[in-house]
Amino acid sequence: MTDVRRRLPAIGTLLELSGVRELTARAPRDLVADSVRRAVEAARRESTDTPDSDEAWVAAIAAEVERALVRSLRPVINATGVVLHTNLGRAPLAAQALAAVRDVAAGYSNLEYDVVRGARGSRHQHCARLLCELTGAADAMIVNNCAAALVLTLNTIADGREAVISRGELVEIGGSLRVPDIMARSGASLVEVGTTNRTHAADYRTAVGPNTAAIVSVHRSNFVLEGFVASVSPAELAKLAAEAGVALVHDFGSGLMADLSPWGLRGEPTARHAVRDGATLVLMSGDKLLGGPQAGIVLGSAESVGAMRANPLARALRVDKMTLAALEATLELYRDADVAVREIPVLRMLTDSVDSVRTRAEAIALAMRDGGTACTVVESDATVGGGAFPGARIPSAAVRLDGISAPDANARLHGAAVPVVGRIVESHLVLDIRTVPPLHDELLVASSVKVLAV
Ligand SMILES: *Cc1c(COP(=O)(O)O)cnc(C)c1O
């Protein structure tokens, strides 16, 4: 250890190496100097791989510079077979949505300016008319995500009062969101009714009292409850709430806007159904099955949505112009269901035929074998993810990497310039092609071959 340390060159000496000076053409001088320091520190810590020549030091420093220049947020190829993967950014945006973001964000926009009247406008008006047209709601507003929509809704209608919810719906969604915690932060006090597996209309009736402001119905989106179960549908709850003179808040999560039953995806309500069921306020996400940007969408009566716009918290939960631009352009595609299924990536991935996915998998496997990567096309099951259609298995095709251990393949693919994230099945790494945008097929081959060949 002491011997190695004695052999470590001085920082100043390394900075004078011509190879290191050349690095300053690609990166700021301070960043290069920091990289030199990090390379020396690394050599001090790990006595094994100490660079033993000027060339080796330049290579180690160049690697540190590369690491420092890599963006924190960057694209990855999702080959997990999970269409709405929260850790991988949920819904990829449609080309139309990206174009709308570029149009609006490159310059100024009428975000809060009414160009007809020449007066101040409200950002909360954007998308509202279109959402009403598409869902049958009377009014709508957009906030940061569905969790924010739930907080704003309860804070607006139930602050200091009671919100009644079934114990079967006190769910955790995506690890960071627990419905009871979110509800407690809104200022509403939670009144739990029923049991984990069974809640009846009478349970709600008994719980509703003079201090009750709302009944809350949360869609159990990420798991299936089977067996000895009972719950009260949002339509029945809407009647019960109306009779009791309280609001019904229906958080249905997915934001499904198109009927996917022709493709075997049944059992999730669409936004139009949720509105028709009669809840006072319907809440949903923008980046799940709707296939748009991260957003929380509130649908409801003009009076209740108006009260939410007037809540000071709305200012803290408001969205950026880029979100509104992407959301509006995505929603426009739903005016024609065929267009929506063709143009919105999430819907296209969910509805693509297994034959077309397999054909692509075979072409990808062929190209990978040409590049020296041993692989086989296998059958696979893709899933919807993102807390929607939790039980659904979508027949898919995957490229299985042979002759390399799953952890090794994983580590190499994660280190690619565009990282590839696959799934481990029976100790092999498989790349499910259903969730890879066809546009990325060649990139997937190039990225994989490069890192798997070494
Ligand atoms: C996903 C989900 C949420 C959270 O939505 P975000 O947009 O991620 O905040 C809330 N409720 C339900 C029922 C969900 O499925």
Side-chain angles (χ1 to χ4, degrees):
M1 184 75 183
T2 30
D3 287 345
V4 174
R5 211 176 283 164
R6 202 173 302 129
R7 274 193 269 114
L8 289 180
I11 305 266
T13 313
L14 290 172
L15 277 168
E16 288 306 311
L17 293 176
S18 64
V20 173
R21 282 212 305 270
E22 277 161 24
L23 289 173
T24 57
R26 296 201 297 120
R29 187 172 300 277
D30 285 351
L31 191 148
V32 175
D34 276 347
S35 302
V36 169
R37 257 173 242 120
R38 264 198 305 276
V40 172
E41 276 161 25
R44 188 171 290 139
R45 266 196 321 273
E46 301 149 29
S47 51
T48 43
D49 270 346
T50 308
D52 52 5
S53 64
D54 286 356
E55 291 75 38
W57 275 107
V58 171
I61 294 161
E64 290 289 350
V65 168
E66 286 308 322
R67 260 196 287 281
L69 290 178
V70 167
R71 284 221 177 116
S72 168
L73 181 61
R74 54 206 170 105
V76 307
I77 295 180
N78 174 11
T80 63
V82 181
V83 176
L84 292 168
H85 200 302
T86 298
N87 301 147
L88 302 181
R90 287 199 189 153
L93 294 179
Q96 292 85 346
L98 295 172
V101 170
R102 208 176 311 111
D103 275 357
V104 157
Y108 298 101
S109 66
N110 64 339
L111 181 63
E112 291 185 349
Y113 188 71
D114 185 331
V115 281
V116 178
R117 291 189 301 124
R120 184 161 200 266
S122 164
R123 82 173 65 211
H124 293 307
Q125 302 297 339
H126 298 289
C127 297
R129 201 161 33 85
L130 189 51
L131 277 164
C132 295
E133 172 194 322
L134 294 169
T135 66
D139 203 353
M141 80 178 281
I142 313 301
V143 290
N144 205 29
N145 54 24
C146 194
L150 191 56
V151 171
L152 183 62
T153 300
L154 291 176
N155 183 261
T156 306
I157 66 175
D159 189 17
R161 299 181 66 199
E162 291 167 1
V164 176
I165 184 168
S166 160
R167 291 198 172 87
E169 297 173 6
L170 294 172
V171 296
E172 176 174 299
I173 295 158
S176 56
L177 165 61
R178 285 185 161 181
V179 167
D181 297 349
I182 285 276
M183 288 178 66
R185 288 289 165 142
S186 72
S189 50
L190 221 65
V191 176
E192 302 174 14
V193 299
T195 60
T196 304
N197 57 331
R198 289 171 75 83
T199 306
H200 307 277
D203 296 324
Y204 289 97
R205 284 206 190 89
T206 310
V208 171
N211 199 28
T212 304
I215 294 175
V216 179
S217 172
V218 177
H219 187 56
R220 269 191 300 269
S221 39
N222 49 5
F223 66 104
V224 195
L225 205 57
E226 273 177 354
F228 188 56
V229 296
S231 58
V232 187
S233 73
E236 292 170 78
L237 281 180
K239 284 201 205 86
L240 200 153
E243 281 162 20
V246 302
L248 174 66
V249 177
H250 180 195
D251 171 9
F252 94 101
S254 80
L256 180 64
M257 299 278 289
D259 178 16
L260 297 180
S261 58
W263 292 277
L265 291 168
R266 296 190 182 85
E268 289 278 336
T270 63
R272 192 171 271 282
H273 282 129
V275 168
R276 198 183 299 153
D277 279 346
T280 318
L281 289 157
V282 169
L283 317 180
M284 62 190 192
S285 286
D287 57 353
K288 292 184 179 173
L289 285 173
L290 193 151
Q294 178 189 306
I297 297 167
V298 182
L299 306 168
S301 65
E303 189 196 352
S304 49
V305 176
M308 290 179 61
R309 286 198 191 101
N311 185 331
L313 252 191
R315 171 65 179 78
L317 304 174
R318 74 182 192 185
V319 293
D320 181 57
K321 57 185 176 292
M322 292 191 279
T323 301
L324 291 167
L327 185 59
E328 185 169 28
T330 306
L331 289 169
E332 278 170 355
L333 300 170
Y334 281 101
R335 285 183 161 139
D336 181 332
D338 294 335
V339 171
V341 168
R342 193 179 63 230
E343 300 293 332
I344 297 175
V346 164
L347 299 186
R348 199 170 50 218
M349 287 177 194
L350 290 173
T351 59
D352 235 5
S353 75
V354 66
D355 288 341
S356 115
V357 177
R358 195 182 303 114
T359 303
R360 286 175 48 220
E362 273 157 9
I364 289 167
L366 197 64
M368 282 172 71
R369 280 193 292 267
D370 275 351
T373 297
C375 59
T376 315
V377 173
V378 295
E379 285 181 10
S380 177
D381 278 330
T383 54
V384 180
F389 297 109
R393 291 274 171 276
I394 308 163
S396 186
V399 175
R400 186 187 69 203
L401 301 179
D402 301 322
I404 181 167
S405 78
D408 188 15
N410 234 346
R412 289 175 186 227
L413 289 171
H414 289 176
V418 179
V420 177
V421 185
R423 186 169 88 229
I424 295 175
V425 178
E426 290 164 2
S427 69
H428 283 283
L429 193 71
V430 301
L431 307 175
D432 194 311
I433 302 307
R434 185 174 285 280
T435 48
V436 177
L439 188 81
H440 286 165
D441 285 3
E442 282 176 28
L443 182 62
L444 171 65
V445 172
S447 278
S448 308
V449 163
K450 194 165 171 206
V451 293
L452 292 171
V454 281

